[in-house]
Amino acid sequence: IGDTMIFVAILVALSIFCFVLGIYNYSQKESLDVSKRIRNYNSRGRTAYKKSRGDFWEDFKNSRYKDWATNVAEDLGNLLPKQQHFAQLAEKADLPVSGSEFIVMLLGSSAFWLLFISVLTLSLTKGVILTMLWFVMWYVYVKNLGAQRRKDFDAQLGDAIVMMNNALRAGFTFQQAMDTVSKELPDP
């Protein structure tokens, strides 16, 4: 039972580390693509996420570990295979995270569930099986989100073309017609 406890302790430490790095990396990137996508996401009429000042993450961002944690999370995400595949999945599903951030968060949550289920059931096999199911469930869920978004886009494409055509016939410029379509039609 001593080896099992050491294994569990290592998994706890790794899962907490991955989880914190994933959340920190997600909240840190204010000048990169993620914040641009969030601003674009919020500019379409959705309510913006407002962080309260003085919270834990704000203090962590101002600490001396900021650059180190950012680099570690990026490096961890970049080392993992299929980063471009996960980046495309996140983009198609309109998730405001990059591929490496998605991988780090998914692996961190998977490690948490592996630890939790293994400790709860005292069976590593059950923990591994249920963690694999967790990973596959989220992968399929994000893939279905992307497919649903594509389906919604395809369904709206005809309406958008008709609306643009009518706006151009009414004397609007192309940019005004595009603006009309983006304001009148719901997302995507």
Side-chain angles (χ1 to χ4, degrees):
I1 203 159
D3 291 336
T4 305
M5 295 306 282
I6 292 172
F7 180 73
V8 168
I10 290 172
L11 283 179
V12 167
L14 285 176
S15 64
I16 291 171
F17 179 73
C18 289
F19 182 73
V20 168
L21 283 180
I23 290 176
Y24 174 73
N25 195 24
Y26 176 74
S27 67
Q28 179 61 31
K29 304 226 178 198
E30 296 193 359
S31 64
L32 298 178
D33 294 335
V34 174
S35 70
K36 290 178 186 175
R37 287 185 292 195
I38 290 174
R39 276 195 298 273
N40 185 24
Y41 185 81
N42 290 333
S43 68
R44 294 184 288 196
R46 296 188 175 131
T47 57
Y49 171 73
K50 294 188 174 46
K51 255 192 333 189
S52 62
R53 296 287 176 199
D55 62 1
F56 173 77
W57 295 116
E58 192 67 32
D59 294 340
F60 188 72
K61 280 184 2 182
N62 295 329
S63 74
R64 62 183 177 170
Y65 301 110
K66 170 186 167 189
D67 296 330
W68 176 80
T70 302
N71 291 336
V72 168
E74 287 175 0
D75 292 343
L76 180 61
N78 290 334
L79 287 176
L80 298 171
K82 300 241 182 196
Q83 177 192 2
Q84 292 295 350
H85 176 70
F86 281 100
Q88 289 174 351
L89 278 178
E91 184 70 29
K92 287 178 184 178
D94 199 25
L95 298 176
V97 294
S98 68
S100 61
E101 292 167 337
F102 181 68
I103 290 172
V104 168
M105 287 188 293
L106 187 59
L107 290 178
S109 64
S110 295
F112 168 78
W113 284 113
L114 174 66
L115 171 71
F116 182 74
I117 293 168
S118 296
V119 168
L120 188 66
T121 63
L122 297 176
S123 171
L124 185 60
T125 306
K126 290 177 186 176
V128 168
I129 290 171
L130 291 174
T131 301
M132 288 173 34
L133 287 173
W134 168 261
F135 189 87
V136 169
M137 178 191 72
W138 272 104
Y139 179 81
V140 170
Y141 175 72
V142 170
K143 197 164 184 153
N144 285 339
L145 275 178
Q148 183 64 41
R149 186 169 180 252
R150 170 80 186 241
K151 187 178 172 184
D152 293 344
F153 177 80
D154 290 344
Q156 289 179 339
L157 187 58
D159 293 338
I161 291 172
V162 168
M163 191 179 290
M164 279 189 63
N165 186 29
N166 291 339
L168 291 171
R169 283 187 185 172
F172 290 129
T173 64
F174 183 76
Q175 187 168 357
Q176 288 172 327
M178 289 292 289
D179 189 45
T180 301
V181 168
S182 69
K183 288 180 181 176
E184 295 296 322
L185 289 178
D187 289 335

Short mmCIF file of all heavy atoms in Angstrom, two decimals, residues 160-178 180-181:
data_model
loop_
_atom_site.label_atom_id
_atom_site.label_comp_id
_atom_site.label_asym_id
_atom_site.label_seq_id
_atom_site.Cartn_x
_atom_site.Cartn_y
_atom_site.Cartn_z
N ALA A 160 -28.18 35.04 -44.84
CA ALA A 160 -27.17 36.10 -44.86
C ALA A 160 -26.96 36.62 -46.28
O ALA A 160 -26.84 37.83 -46.49
CB ALA A 160 -25.86 35.58 -44.28
N ILE A 161 -26.92 35.73 -47.24
CA ILE A 161 -26.72 36.14 -48.63
C ILE A 161 -27.90 36.96 -49.12
O ILE A 161 -27.74 38.01 -49.77
CB ILE A 161 -26.46 34.92 -49.53
CG1 ILE A 161 -25.10 34.31 -49.20
CG2 ILE A 161 -26.54 35.30 -51.00
CD1 ILE A 161 -24.82 33.00 -49.86
N VAL A 162 -29.12 36.54 -48.79
CA VAL A 162 -30.31 37.28 -49.19
C VAL A 162 -30.33 38.65 -48.53
O VAL A 162 -30.63 39.67 -49.18
CB VAL A 162 -31.59 36.48 -48.84
CG1 VAL A 162 -32.83 37.33 -48.98
CG2 VAL A 162 -31.69 35.25 -49.72
N MET A 163 -29.97 38.72 -47.25
CA MET A 163 -29.95 39.99 -46.54
C MET A 163 -28.90 40.92 -47.12
O MET A 163 -29.14 42.13 -47.28
CB MET A 163 -29.70 39.75 -45.05
CG MET A 163 -29.93 40.97 -44.19
SD MET A 163 -29.65 40.66 -42.44
CE MET A 163 -31.04 39.62 -42.08
N MET A 164 -27.73 40.38 -47.44
CA MET A 164 -26.68 41.21 -48.06
C MET A 164 -27.12 41.70 -49.43
O MET A 164 -26.91 42.86 -49.78
CB MET A 164 -25.38 40.41 -48.19
CG MET A 164 -24.58 40.37 -46.93
SD MET A 164 -22.94 39.68 -47.17
CE MET A 164 -22.22 40.84 -48.28
N ASN A 165 -27.74 40.84 -50.20
CA ASN A 165 -28.22 41.22 -51.52
C ASN A 165 -29.23 42.36 -51.42
O ASN A 165 -29.16 43.35 -52.16
CB ASN A 165 -28.83 40.01 -52.23
CG ASN A 165 -29.23 40.30 -53.65
OD1 ASN A 165 -28.63 41.15 -54.30
ND2 ASN A 165 -30.25 39.61 -54.13
N ASN A 166 -30.17 42.25 -50.50
CA ASN A 166 -31.17 43.29 -50.31
C ASN A 166 -30.54 44.61 -49.85
O ASN A 166 -30.96 45.68 -50.28
CB ASN A 166 -32.24 42.84 -49.31
CG ASN A 166 -33.10 41.73 -49.87
OD1 ASN A 166 -33.20 41.54 -51.09
ND2 ASN A 166 -33.74 40.98 -48.98
N ALA A 167 -29.56 44.52 -48.95
CA ALA A 167 -28.89 45.73 -48.47
C ALA A 167 -28.11 46.40 -49.59
O ALA A 167 -28.12 47.63 -49.71
CB ALA A 167 -27.97 45.39 -47.31
N LEU A 168 -27.44 45.62 -50.43
CA LEU A 168 -26.70 46.20 -51.55
C LEU A 168 -27.65 46.82 -52.57
O LEU A 168 -27.36 47.88 -53.13
CB LEU A 168 -25.82 45.14 -52.21
CG LEU A 168 -24.63 44.66 -51.38
CD1 LEU A 168 -23.96 43.47 -52.04
CD2 LEU A 168 -23.64 45.79 -51.16
N ARG A 169 -28.78 46.20 -52.80
CA ARG A 169 -29.78 46.77 -53.70
C ARG A 169 -30.37 48.06 -53.15
O ARG A 169 -30.78 48.94 -53.91
CB ARG A 169 -30.91 45.78 -53.95
CG ARG A 169 -30.53 44.69 -54.92
CD ARG A 169 -31.73 43.86 -55.26
NE ARG A 169 -31.34 42.74 -56.11
CZ ARG A 169 -32.14 41.76 -56.43
NH1 ARG A 169 -33.38 41.73 -55.98
NH2 ARG A 169 -31.72 40.80 -57.22
N ALA A 170 -30.44 48.17 -51.84
CA ALA A 170 -30.98 49.37 -51.21
C ALA A 170 -29.98 50.52 -51.20
O ALA A 170 -30.31 51.62 -50.77
CB ALA A 170 -31.41 49.06 -49.78
N GLY A 171 -28.76 50.27 -51.65
CA GLY A 171 -27.78 51.34 -51.76
C GLY A 171 -26.72 51.35 -50.68
O GLY A 171 -25.90 52.27 -50.64
N PHE A 172 -26.72 50.37 -49.80
CA PHE A 172 -25.68 50.29 -48.79
C PHE A 172 -24.37 49.86 -49.43
O PHE A 172 -24.34 49.20 -50.47
CB PHE A 172 -26.03 49.28 -47.71
CG PHE A 172 -27.16 49.69 -46.80
CD1 PHE A 172 -28.23 48.83 -46.58
CD2 PHE A 172 -27.15 50.91 -46.16
CE1 PHE A 172 -29.25 49.19 -45.75
CE2 PHE A 172 -28.17 51.28 -45.31
CZ PHE A 172 -29.24 50.42 -45.11
N THR A 173 -23.26 50.26 -48.79
CA THR A 173 -21.96 49.76 -49.25
C THR A 173 -21.81 48.32 -48.80
O THR A 173 -22.60 47.82 -47.98
CB THR A 173 -20.81 50.61 -48.66
OG1 THR A 173 -20.81 50.45 -47.25
CG2 THR A 173 -20.96 52.08 -49.03
N PHE A 174 -20.78 47.66 -49.32
CA PHE A 174 -20.56 46.27 -48.95
C PHE A 174 -20.31 46.14 -47.44
O PHE A 174 -20.82 45.23 -46.79
CB PHE A 174 -19.38 45.69 -49.74
CG PHE A 174 -19.14 44.24 -49.47
CD1 PHE A 174 -19.96 43.27 -50.01
CD2 PHE A 174 -18.09 43.84 -48.66
CE1 PHE A 174 -19.75 41.92 -49.76
CE2 PHE A 174 -17.86 42.50 -48.40
CZ PHE A 174 -18.70 41.54 -48.95
N GLN A 175 -19.51 47.07 -46.90
CA GLN A 175 -19.21 47.01 -45.47
C GLN A 175 -20.47 47.25 -44.64
O GLN A 175 -20.68 46.60 -43.62
CB GLN A 175 -18.14 48.02 -45.11
CG GLN A 175 -17.67 47.89 -43.69
CD GLN A 175 -16.42 48.71 -43.42
OE1 GLN A 175 -15.87 49.33 -44.30
NE2 GLN A 175 -15.98 48.68 -42.18
N GLN A 176 -21.33 48.17 -45.07
CA GLN A 176 -22.58 48.41 -44.35
C GLN A 176 -23.49 47.18 -44.42
O GLN A 176 -24.18 46.85 -43.45
CB GLN A 176 -23.30 49.63 -44.92
CG GLN A 176 -22.63 50.94 -44.60
CD GLN A 176 -23.27 52.10 -45.35
OE1 GLN A 176 -23.73 51.95 -46.48
NE2 GLN A 176 -23.28 53.27 -44.72
N ALA A 177 -23.49 46.52 -45.58
CA ALA A 177 -24.30 45.31 -45.72
C ALA A 177 -23.79 44.21 -44.79
O ALA A 177 -24.58 43.51 -44.15
CB ALA A 177 -24.28 44.83 -47.17
N MET A 178 -22.46 44.04 -44.71
CA MET A 178 -21.89 43.05 -43.80
C MET A 178 -22.22 43.40 -42.35
O MET A 178 -22.53 42.51 -41.55
CB MET A 178 -20.36 42.99 -43.96
CG MET A 178 -19.90 42.36 -45.25
SD MET A 178 -20.28 40.62 -45.33
CE MET A 178 -19.14 39.98 -44.16
N THR A 180 -24.82 45.03 -41.29
CA THR A 180 -26.26 44.75 -41.11
C THR A 180 -26.46 43.26 -40.85
O THR A 180 -27.23 42.86 -39.96
CB THR A 180 -27.05 45.21 -42.34
OG1 THR A 180 -26.85 46.59 -42.53
CG2 THR A 180 -28.53 44.91 -42.17
N VAL A 181 -25.81 42.44 -41.65
CA VAL A 181 -25.96 40.99 -41.49
C VAL A 181 -25.44 40.56 -40.12
O VAL A 181 -26.09 39.75 -39.43
CB VAL A 181 -25.20 40.24 -42.61
CG1 VAL A 181 -25.09 38.76 -42.32
CG2 VAL A 181 -25.89 40.46 -43.95
#
